[in-house]
Amino acid sequence: MISFFESFFEIQKKTHQYLFSWLPFSLGDILYVALGIFILYTFIKLFKKKDRNKTIIKFLLIINIIYFCYQIFWGMLYFQTPILQKLSSQDEPDINKAKNLALKYLEKCKASRKMVHEDKNGVFTISDLQIIQTEILLRQETIPQYISSKKVSLVNSFKPSLFKNIMSFTGILGYYNPFTAEAQYNPQLPATLIPFTAAHESSHQLGFAREQEANFIGYLIGVQSTNAELRYSTEYFTLKSLLRFIIEEDPGFVKSVQKNYSEGMKRDRAFEKSFIMNHQSWLDDFFGFTNNLFLKSNQQEGAVTYSYFIDLLLNYEK
Ligand SMILES: [Zn+2]
């Protein structure tokens, strides 16, 4: 039954990418705006007694159609076999293993960081996003077959989000639109976050619905890339995820790793922090509460748990 939806997803994606990928803007975002206007319009019309019933029926009908499309385009993919079950071991995450891996990724980050470009403030900057996007699509073909047997599409359907300001203030890095098969990212993000976010969203395009699985597939895409920018962003995401897992048990270890960042990495970290602080403080002033969604993160789309990504990573990196 699930394999039917997996095949259906391939056809749907192919069709939608063929139709929409060439547009330089996100059609999906326009559709979301249209939906917002429609909901507002319905709400206003409810005040008129005369066609109230008609309005409600029309509204419910349209919402149902949208929900139905969402389920068959995307929702069913949440029922796929979890990747963890495809790995040869399914051990509980082990803190010492995580520490060893963190040290390994610290060295990897340091090495890759030397190979990337810097802006005038000495912060990592992306030289050509298009090249990174092409590399991500090509790298999808190298994901081990026992983990993904999905068909790879080389159609570039990455779109900068129209809602980039909202995203910066709410901590959303990117999202996949199941109605148009477009992968949106926030172009305002610090460069350290952009390549891996694109790899993560491309994993959704490939047909992995779960957030932490998209992180893991994104990791497989980026970690052995010959593109230093994509590799650095991926290694840095991996390192941060490991540290976030370790910090609850051993904050001292995390501090010592961060102390050992190269000077370039320290500047990148400071820049990420200032980006988050600048946007976060605005939100705090505006709403008067601390929404540390971003700080808890680099999570994608507001998912809260890291452990499943760590589970996958530690069992894969045996
Ligand atoms: Zn995601």
Side-chain angles (χ1 to χ4, degrees):
M1 186 61 177
I2 295 306
S3 66
F4 165 77
F5 284 101
E6 286 176 332
S7 318
F8 181 74
F9 174 78
E10 303 284 353
I11 301 165
Q12 174 269 126
K13 178 179 81 177
K14 214 173 174 181
T15 315
H16 282 167
Q17 289 197 335
Y18 178 74
L19 289 171
F20 309 131
S21 64
W22 60 276
L23 291 164
F25 57 87
S26 164
L27 179 76
D29 287 357
I30 307 262
L31 292 178
Y32 285 152
V33 172
L35 180 65
I37 293 170
F38 170 69
I39 291 170
L40 204 67
Y41 169 79
T42 305
F43 189 73
I44 292 164
K45 266 196 111 179
L46 284 179
F47 288 101
K48 281 195 199 157
K49 232 183 188 152
K50 213 179 99 219
D51 3 84
R52 191 175 285 169
N53 284 345
K54 240 173 148 183
T55 307
I56 291 173
I57 288 167
K58 205 171 101 190
F59 179 76
L60 289 177
L61 185 72
I62 289 176
I63 293 298
N64 261 296
I65 292 170
I66 294 172
Y67 182 69
F68 177 76
C69 290
Y70 169 80
Q71 278 303 336
I72 59 162
F73 289 168
W74 189 243
M76 294 309 289
L77 294 183
Y78 285 99
F79 295 98
Q80 292 174 111
T81 311
I83 293 177
L84 189 62
Q85 289 179 20
K86 300 180 187 172
L87 301 179
S88 57
S89 71
Q90 280 109 38
D91 299 343
E92 290 286 306
D94 175 80
I95 196 84
N96 290 318
K97 220 195 281 174
K99 283 181 181 175
N100 283 332
L101 210 54
L103 294 174
K104 181 176 148 191
Y105 275 90
L106 172 64
E107 292 312 313
K108 279 173 177 279
C109 280
K110 281 181 175 173
S112 301
R113 180 60 175 77
K114 282 186 193 151
M115 299 167 74
V116 299
H117 297 278
E118 293 182 344
D119 65 11
K120 60 180 189 310
N121 299 316
V123 175
F124 165 52
T125 180
I126 291 166
S127 51
D128 191 336
L129 190 56
Q130 193 97 32
I131 289 177
I132 294 176
Q133 291 169 348
T134 308
E135 167 72 3
I136 287 170
L137 296 175
L138 288 170
R139 287 284 313 167
Q140 288 184 344
E141 312 221 22
T142 64
I143 300 167
Q145 275 285 320
Y146 71 92
I147 292 173
S148 167
S149 50
K150 294 184 184 299
K151 259 195 225 106
V152 173
S153 146
L154 295 180
V155 178
N156 182 320
S157 196
F158 294 103
K159 307 284 179 78
S161 171
L162 296 182
F163 310 121
K164 52 180 187 265
N165 290 316
I166 301 172
M167 292 174 84
S168 291
F169 288 110
T170 52
I172 299 166
L173 310 181
Y175 51 91
Y176 171 75
N177 187 316
F179 301 101
T180 58
E182 293 163 309
Q184 281 67 217
Y185 63 94
N186 176 5
Q188 292 178 347
L189 290 175
T192 38
L193 299 172
I194 288 182
F196 183 75
T197 297
H200 170 103
E201 298 310 329
S202 94
S203 312
H204 287 319
Q205 277 180 328
L206 201 54
F208 290 94
R210 298 184 188 97
E211 277 312 290
Q212 300 308 317
E213 293 192 349
N215 278 339
F216 181 63
I217 298 293
Y219 157 83
L220 293 176
I221 287 173
V223 80
Q224 280 173 38
S225 169
T226 49
N227 181 301
E229 297 176 351
L230 174 60
R231 200 175 61 239
Y232 174 55
S233 180
T234 306
E235 290 165 346
Y236 192 42
F237 169 84
T238 309
L239 177 61
K240 283 187 293 186
S241 301
L242 286 163
L243 294 182
R244 229 174 280 125
F245 170 67
I246 297 164
I247 201 163
E248 285 169 30
E249 302 244 352
D250 192 347
F253 176 86
V254 173
K255 275 235 164 70
S256 81
V257 170
Q258 285 169 340
K259 229 189 237 159
N260 279 306
Y261 278 15
S262 67
E263 291 308 310
M265 285 175 70
K266 282 181 183 164
R267 288 193 293 274
D268 295 348
R269 176 163 183 253
F271 184 69
E272 258 187 29
K273 267 192 159 172
S274 73
F275 177 85
I276 293 164
M277 284 305 173
N278 288 339
H279 291 94
Q280 205 63 62
S281 63
W282 180 89
L283 203 72
D284 292 347
D285 293 348
F286 197 77
F287 293 106
F289 66 91
T290 303
N291 177 335
N292 65 347
L293 200 64
F294 220 144
L295 288 175
K296 282 182 207 152
S297 75
N298 298 316
Q299 73 215 31
Q300 308 280 334
E301 291 137 21
V304 191
T305 54
Y306 294 96
S307 61
Y308 183 39
F309 171 67
I310 296 295
D311 264 358
L312 290 167
L313 181 71
L314 294 179
N315 280 299
Y316 176 77
E317 283 267 6
K318 269 208 145 177

